[in-house]
Every structure is written in C-alpha cells, then in structure tokens.
Amino acid sequence: MAGTEEEARYSRQLYVLGGGARRLPGSAVLVSGLRGTGAQVATALVLAGTGRVVLHDCDAACTADRTHQFLLGESDLGQNRAKASQRALAELNPSVVVEAHSGKLSEAFLASFQVVVLTESPLEEQLRVGDFCHAQGICFIVADTKGLAGQLFCDFGEHFAVDDPAEGDPVSAVVQHISQGNPGVVTCMGTENFQDGDLVTFSDVQGMTELNSQEPVPVHVLDTSRLEISDTSSFSPYRCGGLVSRVQEPEECSHEPLCQALEKPKIQLANPEDLSRTRSLHAAFRALHAFRRERGCLPRPRAAADAERVLELARSLGAQQGPLDEDIVRAFASVSAGDLCPVAAVVGALAAQEVLKAITRKFQPLNQWLYFDALECLALPGAAELTEMDCAPRGSRYDGQIAVFGANFQEKLGHQKYLVVGAGAIGCELLKNFAMMGLAAGPDGELIITDMDTVALSNLHRQLLYRSADISEPKSVVAAAAVQRMNPDVRVTPHQNQVGPATEMLYRDNFFRHLDGVASALDTIEARTYLERRCLRCHTPLLDSGTEGTRGNVLAMVPSLTDPLRPASTPRDGTFPLCTLRHFPRTIQHTLQWARDEFEGLFQLPAEQVNQFMEDQDFLKQQLPRKVLEQVWDSLRERPRDWQDCVRWARRRWQSCYHDAITQLLHIYPPEHETSPGVAFWAGDRSCPHPLTFDPDNDTHLDYVLAAAHLFAQVHRVPPCRDRAAIQAILHGVLLPPFAPQEGLQIPLTEEPAEEAQVSTDHRQLTQLTQDLVQRRQELVGDEEAQSPLMEPIHFEKDNDVHIDFITAASNLRAENYGISPANWLTSKRIAGRIVPAIITTTAAVAGLACLEVYKLVWGCQDLSCYRNSNISLSACLLLRVQPPSASTYWYRGREWSCWDRLEMQGVGADGQVVTVQEVLDWLQRTHSWTVTMLLCGDDILYDSKADAEKRAQDQARRLSEISRDAKKLQQQDLELLYICEGEDAEAEDTGPPLLCSLP
C-alpha cells in the first residue's frame, strides 16, 4: 500500500539517509549564530525534518545581514536575528519545532541537545562549549565563514558508532553457480565491487538453500567473476538463482576535543597538494580570532596594515604546522570582513550534512577539520587594485559583498540578464543566492526563470522556495514571487516553458545572445545536453549543476576559454532482454520493470488506441497488425459498467499473470526439463517459478486487485471504491474456470527476434473483426452517455501513490512466483520511478559553488586559471575544485581553429532578399578561397557538385528561406550550414567551423 505522508514528503531524502532517517523526528539540535551560515544550516535541518531546531543569537538583524541571510525581511531589521529567523523557518516545515533563544549558552541549556552547532562564535566560546559537549557526549560542530573562505570542525566524541558508512544500495551480484567444495566457489555476474575479506550474505538461492539462512561469511576474490567462500561440501547441490550481497558492518570513529584538535589539526583533503594551503588557512582563522580580540573588530576590507597584522599573528601560531603561505593569509585577511551568500551556502550545507550524520549515524563524519576557499576570485584582473574606499561600507544590504568585490562590481551585478532553467531543488538554491547577491537588481537587469512543472509534496523537503499551500501551483511563478520577497529590487520574470526543440520559436538564437549567462538546474542528461548546444552555438556562458544523493558537480562553460560541456551520464535503469522480463527474471529490478511494462500495457496504450480508433475514421485503413485490432476490440468488449466489473477484471488479470502464465510456462518447460541429457533447463540464470493461488485475505493479493481495479476504473471513467472489505466480498463471489494449458506454444529462450514470426492471417476472421469494430464504433457514437474521448489513458507518475501501489504489488507477486525477495513500497518507487536520490545539503552546496563562478563571469574574466569546476561528496566530506579544461582546437585547411569558432555571414543581400545557395558558395570562395563541393543544412543537401547540371542550377538558384523541409531549422533565425571543400573526402571526420547565416 501507499507510503505515509512523511514518506511522500521525504522519499528522495530517505533514499540518501536510509533507515537512520527515522531518528530525525526525535532529535534536538542547537544552531547558534543566525547570520548567513547559521541560516543555511538551520534551513537544511528544518527542511530535512529534524524534530526540534533551536536558534540562538544575541544580536539584532541589520541591513548588511541581508547580503547573505535569506530568512530576514525588511520588517525584521532591528529585531533579534534568532526570533526573526524562527518565524520564517517555522513556515518551511510544520512538523518541526523551531524555537528561538537569545540568552547565554549555559551548560544546563546545552545538555538538552544531541548536536550543537556554533557559527560566528568567538574562539573562547567555541572552546568552552566544545569542552562541555565532548565531556557530555554531545556532537559538536563549528562552522564559520569569513569573506571568501570557510572553516568546518567536528567533534563527535571518542566512541562514535557509524551504523551505515556506505552510500547507495549494498554491493551485490547475481549468482550463476555455486560449487560444492571446501572452499566453495561462487560464480556471479561481476565481482568488481567486492574485496578480499568482505562479509557477504546470500538470498533467493535455489538448491543450495542452506546459504540463504547462513550468517555472513568472508569472501576471497578469485577473478572478475568468481568469489571463494566457506565450506559448501555438505550443502545441497546448487540449482539456480540467488543474490550475493556485501554486509556493511558498523564502524567507529574517535574525535579529539577542539582544544587539542586546534593545536594538532587533522585536516580533510580532497587533493594532497592542498595541505600547505589548508594549514595556512587554519593558522589564518586562529590569527583572525586573535586580531578580533586585540582590535574588537575584523580587519578593514583591503586595509594592507590590518592584513599584515593578521599575518604577524599567524606567523606566531602556525610555525609548528609547517610552512605558512603568506599570500594566502594576506588575501584571506584582506576580505575577511566580507559576507558572501554562496560561501555561506557551501559551508552551511557541509555543516548541516555533518549534523545529519550525527543524528542518523549514516556516513563517516568529518575527521576533524575542513577548509574551503574561493580566494582565486581575488586574482580576477583588476581585483588586486581595489582600495579601501572601493570596498568601504555604504549602508547597503550588499555591504558584505562590496567588502570583497567593490561597489562598482555591485552595479555590474544589477545589470545582468540571466536565464535559470529549472526551478527545482538546485534552481531554488540558485535563485535564493541570486536574490541575496543582487543579480539583476538594477534597472536594466533581468532574471528569467523557466520551469514547466508544478510544486509537489515530494519537493518540499529540499526546495526552500515552496510551501504546502503552493502544491500544484507553477514552480516558476511561485519561485519568482519568493525571489521578490527576498529582494524586491530583482527584476524577475517567470516562464512555464521547457527549453528544447519545441520552444525554439520562443528561445531563439538572439534570445540566448542577449543573455549574460545561463544557469542550468535540469535533471536529465538530454535536457542539459540540449542547453549546452544552444549556449555553445550562441557563445553564451553556461553553468551546469547536477546532484545525485550526496554527490554533486558544477561545470563552467565560458566562451572561447573552456571546452564545451559534456555532462556525464551514469545509467540509472538497466535495459533488460524481453525474454528475461517475460519468462526468466532473476532480480527485483527485473520484476519491477515487468510491472512498469504491465502498467503501460494495461492503462495507457489500450486507451490511446481506442481513442484513436474512435476519433480517426481512417484508423482501420492503416493496415495495422491484427494484434492491435484485437486489443482495441478487447478494450471495447471489456468496458465495465460499474466498480464491481472493475474488481472482477482485476481478479481475472491476477489469475492470468500469476497462475495461468506460470502454469503455461511450466507446461512447456517442466521443473525436470533438460536442455540436453544431464543438463537441467532450470539452472544458472533461470529460476524455476511456481504458480500462485489467489487468496482474498492475502494483503499483497488484495493490494494488487485494489490498485488494478482503481486504475481500470479511472481508464473507463468509472467511480472507484477504496473499501477493502467490500472488495473482498466481491472477490469471494468470483468464480473462474480452471486453466487448460495450450499445446504447441513456443517461448523464446534468448532475446526476442527483431521481427516476430509471421502468423498466417485468416482474412475471413480479419474482415469479420474489422466489421465488428465498425459496428461497435457506430453504436458508441450514437450512445448519448458515451464520453469523448471514450477512455482516459494513464501515464505512469512516480509520485502517484496508486500507481506505485500497483507497481509494488505486481512486482512482488511476480517475485514470489520466482522465489525473489520482494521490495518494499519505497524501494519499488525509487527503482520503478527511476528516482534520483536527493537531499537539500547537496543542492545547497552545489548552488553555492555555481554562484562563485557567476562572480567571475560578471567580472568578465578571460583568465581560465580563475575558473573552477567542482565535485563534491558530502558522504565523505570531500570537495574538489579544479581548473576547467581549455577550449580544444583542431586543424582545418592549413590553420588552427577553436571549438568555439564559426563563420558568420549575413543571410540578406544588398537587394534585401534572402541569399541564394550560390551566393553562399561565392561568399566562402571570396572570403576564404574555399571551393565547396557539397553544402548541407542538417540532413538536407543544398548543393552537390556531382549532381547533373540541371539539378545544380536549380539548387544554386534557391534561396535559403526555401531550402529547409524542417521549419524548425528556420525558427532559430540563424541557419547552421556545413560544407565539404574541394579535395576533401565526404566521409572524413575532419570538418570546418560551422557557417551561421543570419536570416531576417
């Protein structure tokens, strides 16, 4: 049956956190410091469903907080930050208790929390609270951001148990054979993810069933397909089936208290080359605390004397840690008074993930320090010349940003024209950051959001711009309104369109060329690849962001500088042979895909065919396969009159799938069948099934009938009923004739052939079937009660509970047929719905990293070394940022070209007419001295020198506005032409830069 409302809301997060997520509602967390970093931590915890989140801050909100504190509104200025933030956070998730505290952090107060997070705290308070938490077994986290750098520290005590350190499903492999021996040898499909000493368990093994109930056993990896296990010589002979799965054992970690870890820091590194840099940042943060104690304030922005004083203090603190990178310390100190929303987003998200680790005991916690910086931003051309005056406070909400980049840069941000494609999880975080940054907040700026989706319940745990009241509303419209509440100056426009081939009339080349940048927040490889091609064509900067679980990445595509993006794809759903799905499933993935196919074949395709038959008078003239006509006839013949008919239909379908089809298969291939003498048919990859007997008191049987009947009723517009007792009463009255297997039926043992064997057609029967269909259509057209369209096709929707009810029950019944372990409702939803696990922490961190690249694009940076591609893994608390690859080049006709190069010509001649093909050929000859032998537009050949003279003359005279059979090619305004020049091979891979012809 359907999951709870909590599962529906948190399903994507549950796939990341696993069973440990059940601890969240009973947990209590203190977040001290409600500026930007604290706001990010608290928001992530509230969205994630943490039971009680207490906010602590002693200070009042000021105008400058609004550079990075997205929870505050204009009316909150002057009020306590914690109390003002509490009101906004309470709206995010009604199931979370959000409280505010503005008093001292006493030991009695701290003792009530499982996790304490300090942000923006003096070092003295960090040490005091850290010592208490360590002594009391309270997980303690410090998160701090200063300008372009951030610091994270974790102390989870000396004996912290991690129940589930790994991410994703347990490593497993399908068993093909197990030998009887000492040791036994398991042959399986792939051992790459197993290691010597791994403990494994077995399930669904047929024959050698002793393994299914055995305690975990260690393995020795022999090669890519064989594992050695313990003694199996006394076990029953292996027959078929089975899954071998690695057991993830709990691990323990030990942390030192802050007072010790401060002096001998263990610093997490994604790249060992960063050790000196991170040690210097460790010293710089300590020196900053000392400077603040000494002066009572942070260093003034770009004040050289203040930066030098921080460096002096760092020298005295960092000698025992190794060489000090003085340039890093100076750069850090010079902008440490700054506050940047993207930096707070990254560090706050990392800290929030550590809180979730502490509560759920899922994933290894940070050991113990992590430093993050984007100080490469200070290498932007001209940034080093900024003065104290350029970065001095203006009394503006952007003062924290001005402290880093100067007042002139803030004006540039306001002039930007940006497109955000997708207003889902990453899109929401990008838009929040953009609002804080003031992107498009000037009089000629524009921020365009486009998303064709509506808000759903499952969005609310990670998409912070939406509330329960917004469910079913257009995402882009709701998001735009939220952006304007955060920053009324941002000029934001919502669109409800997909950016793709179908909308090229709206988003033409000129549209893309007038943008300063595009931020991609899409969730499919196809959509991301399309957007990359459009931006490449129009020389528009693109930032591509993606996440899966705790992993995420940001790729920057900068015209003329970087290589074009090629978003990596990892298949999330396998493609299985039809014979495996239909007759020989081995895993729950097979039965779930079979259930998906059943759904489409029962509730979508038949309805579409019937509606087409009713609406298209020429439907029967299309020489359709007899099978299609029979399906239409069966759909019309089976039309239910009432709900009881729907239940009876579902009962018959159950019998057909789980009893009759299996009985027929065993009639053809009995359990004792042999492929050759002594070689069992049901062995290895083939598990011998058994038919099921229907029981109306069996929950899974009843779940199937209820879901199938509900969907069948919806297809035929019959009011459904959810009364299980009433359905059971109907089922007790259903009598079905005994099944008689067919003789001579053939079942393929390998992949289905491309074309099914031709079945001799009885033309007399086909003619009769066609006549019956014509008559039935006339009857239905004349029926006043018949609706148009006659049936309602149902497309599978992963967030529809009834759809998942059907998939889960249908799959688990088939799994029972074949002795496969069933999957619960939530797992079935993830696999069948091909759902990408997602969590707010990853999306927030990825969006923050993307916005750091926006700063560089707005600056107009043409230095590749300033840009970064980023990869994160929050489960391992790793963050790797590297320079993007430079634009690739190639040689063509004696010179080097960049992948960004293209030829451009006006498509309108001096006479105001669209140019002809001959004029294009002349232009290439005149401009580049290239004699073209073939000119193409997509698949259309516009000119071929090998054609006969008459054909060549016709082609040469044609205007570009007349040549395309595909009108979409003209929708972009620029026609992209390819060419082959004299002396080139038409089959060669080397081609010249594309030619863009601008049409009116």
Side-chain angles (χ1 to χ4, degrees), residues 268-426:
Q268 184 104 343
L269 295 172
N271 185 349
E273 295 177 0
D274 291 336
L275 179 59
S276 174
R277 185 183 192 90
T278 56
R279 282 177 170 173
S280 298
L281 286 169
H282 182 78
F285 267 92
R286 291 189 66 185
L288 196 67
H289 283 294
F291 183 96
R292 197 167 193 170
R293 284 196 303 272
E294 180 180 281
R295 303 283 180 88
C297 63
L298 291 171
R300 292 164 296 166
R302 305 287 176 161
D306 287 2
E308 286 301 321
R309 179 56 185 154
V310 172
L311 179 58
E312 289 175 12
L313 293 167
R315 288 191 187 112
S316 66
L317 295 166
Q320 71 276 21
Q321 300 301 330
L324 191 68
D325 189 328
E326 297 188 352
D327 289 339
I328 290 291
V329 178
R330 285 193 188 93
F332 165 78
S334 70
V335 294
S336 58
D339 291 306
L340 299 177
C341 184
V343 177
V346 174
V347 176
L350 291 168
Q353 186 66 52
E354 296 305 304
V355 175
L356 296 178
K357 291 178 186 179
I359 297 170
T360 64
R361 297 182 181 267
K362 172 73 172 174
F363 307 132
Q364 280 281 0
L366 171 65
N367 185 28
Q368 285 191 269
W369 295 92
L370 181 138
Y371 285 92
F372 161 76
D373 78 90
L375 292 171
E376 74 277 357
C377 290
L378 300 183
L380 296 169
E385 285 70 46
L386 290 173
T387 65
E388 284 188 63
M389 185 172 294
D390 294 328
C391 301
R394 264 70 171 169
S396 157
R397 67 176 291 162
Y398 305 116
D399 277 353
Q401 201 160 252
I402 290 171
V404 178
F405 295 111
N408 291 340
F409 178 75
Q410 192 60 51
E411 287 189 26
K412 276 190 176 182
L413 279 166
H415 297 320
Q416 296 297 295
K417 294 179 174 61
Y418 258 72
L419 170 68
V420 177
V421 186
I426 297 176

Side-chain angles (χ1 to χ4, degrees), residues 783-984:
D783 185 355
E784 294 181 358
E785 296 183 2
Q787 302 181 42
S788 181
L790 191 64
M791 295 173 68
E792 178 184 333
I794 302 176
H795 294 266
F796 175 75
E797 171 51 55
K798 60 183 178 291
D799 287 317
N800 186 301
D801 286 352
V802 176
H803 296 193
I804 301 300
D805 287 348
F806 175 83
I807 294 292
T808 304
S811 169
N812 285 342
L813 288 167
R814 187 160 177 81
E816 186 179 350
N817 279 140
Y818 284 87
I820 299 168
S821 297
N824 62 30
W825 190 88
L826 201 60
T827 300
S828 299
K829 176 177 178 174
R830 174 176 64 82
I831 298 173
R834 295 155 195 167
I835 293 173
V836 179
I839 193 166
I840 176 61
T841 49
T842 313
T843 53
V846 161
L849 292 167
C851 289
L852 288 171
E853 302 310 302
V854 171
Y855 285 136
K856 302 162 189 177
L857 291 172
V858 174
W859 195 277
C861 177
Q862 290 298 302
D863 182 353
L864 182 65
S865 66
C866 290
Y867 288 96
R868 297 289 183 271
N869 285 347
S870 299
N871 285 280
I872 60 170
S873 173
L874 296 193
S875 61
C877 207
L878 292 176
L879 171 56
L880 180 64
R881 302 175 72 232
V882 297
Q883 180 179 305
S886 60
S888 55
T889 59
Y890 60 95
W891 284 87
Y892 181 74
R893 301 193 76 79
R895 62 161 285 193
E896 189 177 30
W897 301 83
S898 164
C899 58
W900 289 92
D901 286 336
R902 70 250 5 260
L903 311 179
E904 297 182 10
M905 71 169 288
Q906 287 298 319
V908 179
D911 58 359
Q913 297 292 312
V914 173
V915 297
T916 63
V917 169
Q918 182 60 54
E919 288 175 300
V920 174
L921 301 177
D922 292 343
W923 184 87
L924 286 167
Q925 177 68 55
R926 183 173 63 252
T927 308
H928 296 282
S929 302
W930 295 345
T931 301
V932 173
T933 58
M934 185 177 287
L935 187 67
L936 305 99
C937 180
D939 295 328
D940 295 329
I941 297 177
L942 310 186
Y943 170 78
D944 186 353
S945 63
K946 294 180 181 179
D948 59 63
E950 182 179 354
K951 178 71 167 61
R952 289 202 311 273
Q954 290 176 350
D955 288 342
Q956 290 166 321
R958 293 170 68 192
R959 300 192 181 276
L960 292 187
S961 54
E962 304 168 359
I963 51 86
S964 179
R965 296 192 303 267
D966 183 358
K968 289 181 180 178
K969 289 177 182 171
L970 298 179
Q971 292 176 1
Q972 297 179 355
Q973 289 187 310
D974 283 354
L975 212 55
E976 187 170 309
L977 306 179
L978 301 177
Y979 45 85
I980 297 170
C981 295
E982 195 173 64
E984 292 177 17

